[in-house]
């Protein structure tokens, strides 16, 4: 099975010229979902991973499954105002404005080893904010793992420039 074949491409979404890579079709196929999670965690088998952090929303699905496979805890990284307890916040730049990401202030302990997960890396702004947030809390980021990389947008290189390993199961050219 070629995992890339399980990704649906939606042209001109959310705006003209964008080729949206929809990972929900992969998630809906049991064998593809299982294989994707297995391939995301395989490089870290036998490595101490204390927590897996998932970026809202598809990163929750992948991160929860990865945490289960690695016998690790899970940290939800959410949009501002979605978590009920005391939080720490990191702002980041969007194409047209600024957004904020939060996590509970007690979600990670200093020195814990964390694997960051999300479905896709494009420009890297969200992943960069997640890494900054986790590091501010004292986490050691083992790697950032994604199903899809859009290399033309430079996000993976941006994360590597933060001294963070990046893994992606596949790459798509274009936006």
């Amino acid at each position: 099975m070629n995992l890339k074949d399980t990704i649906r491409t939606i042209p001109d979404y959310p705006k003209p010229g964008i080729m949206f890579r929809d990972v929900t079709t992969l998630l809906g196929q049991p064998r593809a979902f299982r294989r994707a999670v297995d391939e995301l965690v395989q490089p870290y088998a036998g490595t101490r991973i204390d927590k897996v952090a998932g970026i809202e929303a598809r990163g929750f699905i992948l991160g929860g499954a990865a945490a289960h496979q690695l016998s690790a805890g899970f940290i939800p990284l959410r949009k501002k105002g979605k978590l009920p307890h005391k939080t720490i916040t990191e702002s980041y730049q969007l194409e047209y404005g600024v957004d904020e990401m939060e996590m509970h202030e007690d979600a990670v302990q200093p020195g814990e080893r964390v694997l960051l997960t999300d479905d896709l890396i494009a420009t890297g702004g969200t992943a960069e904010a997640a890494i900054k947030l986790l590091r501010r809390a004292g986490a050691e980021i083992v790697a950032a793992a994604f199903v899809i990389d859009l290399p033309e947008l430079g996000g993976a290189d941006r994360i590597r420039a933060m001294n963070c390993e990046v893994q992606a199961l596949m790459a798509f050219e274009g936006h």
Side-chain angles (χ1 to χ4, degrees), residues 3 35-45 49 62 66 70 115-121 127 131 141-150 155-157 159-160 164-171:
L3 285 179
R35 183 165 162 210
V37 172
D38 287 348
E39 288 184 19
L40 282 175
V41 302
Q42 189 281 326
Y44 313 104
I49 304 288
L62 295 160
L70 294 167
L115 175 66
L116 177 65
T117 59
D118 204 0
D119 64 324
L120 181 140
I121 184 157
I131 291 166
I141 310 300
V142 175
F146 306 93
V147 174
I148 300 168
D149 179 20
L150 302 178
D157 290 336
I159 299 309
R160 287 184 192 100
C164 183
E165 177 186 322
V166 176
Q167 172 200 0
L169 302 185
M170 64 188 79

Side-chain angles (χ1 to χ4, degrees), residues 70-113:
L70 294 167
S71 297
F74 179 74
I75 303 167
L77 302 176
R78 304 227 43 202
K79 293 178 175 148
K80 186 170 179 62
K82 300 288 186 178
L83 291 170
H85 192 55
K86 294 178 184 172
T87 59
I88 58 174
T89 304
E90 185 69 35
S91 296
Y92 60 101
Q93 194 69 41
L94 296 171
E95 190 175 353
Y96 299 106
V98 176
D99 208 348
E100 293 179 301
M101 176 183 303
E102 293 182 326
M103 73 177 192
H104 283 136
E105 65 182 11
D106 60 357
V108 64
Q109 300 303 309
E112 284 188 316
R113 294 171 48 85

